[in-house]
Amino acid sequence: FVGNSTYRDDHGPPPLKVLPFPSQVVYNRVGKCGSRTVVLLLRILSEKHGFNLVTSDIHNKTRLTKNEQMELIKNISTAEQPYLFTRHVHFLNFSRFGGDQPVYINIIRDPVSRFLSNYFFRRFGDWRGEQNHMIRTPNMRQEERYLDINVCILENYPECSNPKLFYIIPYFCGQHPRCREPGEWALERAKLNVNENFLLVGILEELEDVLLLLERFLPHYFKDVLRIYKNPEHRKLGNLTVTVKKTVPSPEAIQILYQRMRYEYEFYYYVKEQFHLLKRKFGLKSHNRKPSPKPEFFIPSPLETEEPINDEEEDDEKWLEDIYKR
């Protein structure tokens, strides 16, 4: 653009681009946890705030070989900053391959609700058009497409049993083969990564509060996100992504799902408690709808109140600064 003009002679070199902090954000979105709604918002926000939204057309490859991990990390790390990269992919450890670890964000939801949404979405899509979705899943046999959800669960079909049901934890555990095995090892590693590598893991059932905190923590990316989300035109667009033809399984089938997803629920309630602690720290009260039922084997957390607390020992800005330094 400058070409052979005398601009530099008269004005010196152009000013360096001032990057926000952090300038590298990864949203390794969990399937059927509201990610299409958030990506719609990110497209608007990237134009509004001038950050580089890097998306991927790969939606069905979450587990990568070592070479694939290195290649993806290289591609992400060389993107123009500030960037926000988003893809359905299990947690990537950038530092393992000599890269700078970005800030991670994510959103999860009640595991049974997520499973049911995925089960019916694979078969019937959303309000954007059932026929369009059937075109995208041409190899699904009719008897599979219309398989009763209770039959699938009670008769132990592969789609409705482990390891298929062990879905959320690997997104936080990572690429290690043991991350795909339902058990304590993957659960504890996922918790550790949440604590050490994720700035925020929100709960879809409390999405407005998630957006509020994202705006607070990452203003360069999410400023005005709640106002945009509440805009009637955007709501209309977002409603098109709601899965259609969902039915609720029988109580017996639900209980079986709870038992099969016990690790998923332990992780979900751990994340939920951490999220509520953050909300309390920043003075947010819960406005969520009727709480999801807890499985019988789960011991309720003592953290039930959402009243704001006064924390005079630690400054909010310092707390954010410490999070960024992790």
Side-chain angles (χ1 to χ4, degrees):
F1 174 78
V2 174
N4 295 319
S5 77
T6 59
Y7 177 87
R8 288 185 178 176
D9 296 333
D10 298 337
H11 301 88
L16 293 174
K17 185 176 183 180
V18 178
L19 294 173
F21 184 77
S23 61
Q24 303 168 81
V25 180
V26 172
Y27 172 31
N28 64 322
R29 50 196 182 117
V30 182
K32 306 312 298 174
C33 290
S35 64
R36 284 182 299 159
T37 297
V38 177
V39 169
L40 281 174
L41 289 167
L42 284 170
R43 287 179 181 146
I44 298 169
L45 291 166
S46 65
E47 292 185 9
K48 183 178 175 64
H49 301 316
F51 63 85
N52 183 18
L53 178 62
V54 185
T55 60
S56 173
D57 294 329
I58 302 172
H59 303 292
N60 57 356
K61 190 172 179 59
T62 57
R63 308 164 184 175
L64 309 177
T65 65
K66 183 177 179 180
N67 285 337
E68 288 171 337
Q69 291 178 58
M70 292 175 64
E71 186 66 23
L72 180 57
I73 287 172
K74 179 183 175 184
N75 290 339
I76 296 171
S77 299
T78 54
E80 182 184 355
Q81 299 182 28
Y83 70 73
L84 190 151
F85 174 80
T86 178
R87 172 178 162 177
H88 295 297
V89 64
H90 295 168
F91 175 78
L92 293 163
N93 189 340
F94 282 59
S95 57
R96 180 189 174 199
F97 299 101
D100 294 330
Q101 191 72 358
V103 163
Y104 270 88
I105 59 172
N106 217 321
I107 300 172
I108 65 174
R109 73 191 287 189
D110 177 276
V112 166
S113 295
R114 194 219 68 83
F115 164 73
L116 293 176
S117 181
N118 185 64
Y119 184 89
F120 292 103
F121 178 76
R122 288 186 64 241
R123 287 159 171 77
F124 308 114
D126 51 34
W127 289 108
R128 291 176 296 180
E130 177 183 355
Q131 191 59 39
N132 290 339
H133 193 73
M134 288 185 175
I135 292 171
R136 290 199 296 269
T137 55
N139 297 324
M140 184 177 283
R141 302 186 309 275
Q142 287 299 91
E143 57 267 31
E144 181 185 359
R145 194 180 298 281
Y146 293 98
L147 176 65
D148 183 89
I149 184 69
N150 290 300
V151 172
C152 184
I153 297 167
L154 297 175
E155 298 188 12
N156 206 24
Y157 279 65
E159 186 178 359
C160 298
S161 57
N162 279 316
K164 289 282 190 180
L165 294 180
F166 193 70
Y167 184 87
I168 298 174
I169 287 175
Y171 275 87
F172 299 87
C173 178
Q175 297 289 335
H176 193 286
R178 291 187 69 183
C179 287
R180 304 191 287 272
E181 300 171 6
E184 292 288 338
W185 189 90
L187 170 65
E188 293 305 317
R189 183 161 172 158
K191 288 180 181 178
L192 183 65
N193 277 333
V194 166
N195 292 336
E196 294 188 350
N197 293 293
F198 283 80
L199 175 65
L200 176 68
V201 182
I203 301 296
L204 182 62
E205 292 83 358
E206 302 170 37
L207 180 58
E208 289 193 10
D209 289 343
V210 177
L211 298 178
L212 275 172
L213 287 179
L214 284 171
E215 184 172 359
R216 175 68 176 82
F217 297 167
L218 299 169
H220 181 79
Y221 300 87
F222 288 96
K223 183 175 171 54
D224 294 328
V225 65
L226 195 58
R227 180 182 59 78
I228 297 169
Y229 173 70
K230 287 183 172 182
N231 183 289
E233 290 303 311
H234 182 271
R235 282 295 181 106
K236 217 182 292 179
L237 199 61
N239 287 339
L240 294 176
T241 65
V242 176
T243 302
V244 298
K245 295 195 176 182
K246 279 197 289 187
T247 59
V248 179
S250 67
E252 179 188 2
I254 289 286
Q255 282 302 314
I256 289 174
L257 283 180
Y258 280 151
Q259 295 298 329
R260 291 176 184 170
M261 302 171 87
R262 63 184 302 268
Y263 294 111
E264 293 275 276
Y265 268 99
E266 187 170 339
F267 181 73
Y268 172 73
Y269 283 112
Y270 174 81
V271 167
K272 188 173 184 177
E273 181 171 313
Q274 299 304 308
F275 180 63
H276 283 177
L277 284 169
L278 271 182
K279 284 173 53 175
R280 293 176 66 195
K281 184 174 188 62
F282 287 91
L284 292 178
K285 295 184 179 181
S286 279
H287 302 290
N288 52 320
R289 299 183 299 276
K290 181 181 177 183
S292 54
K294 294 184 180 180
E296 291 179 358
F297 57 78
F298 184 81
I299 301 173
S301 163
L303 180 65
E304 297 294 344
T305 178
E306 295 304 321
E307 293 301 318
I309 57 174
N310 294 319
D311 188 351
E312 297 178 356
E313 296 179 4
E314 187 175 12
D315 180 74
D316 288 348
E317 296 296 339
K318 184 178 182 303
W319 178 85
L320 275 179
E321 190 178 309
D322 291 340
I323 286 282
Y324 291 144
K325 288 178 181 176
R326 287 178 181 175

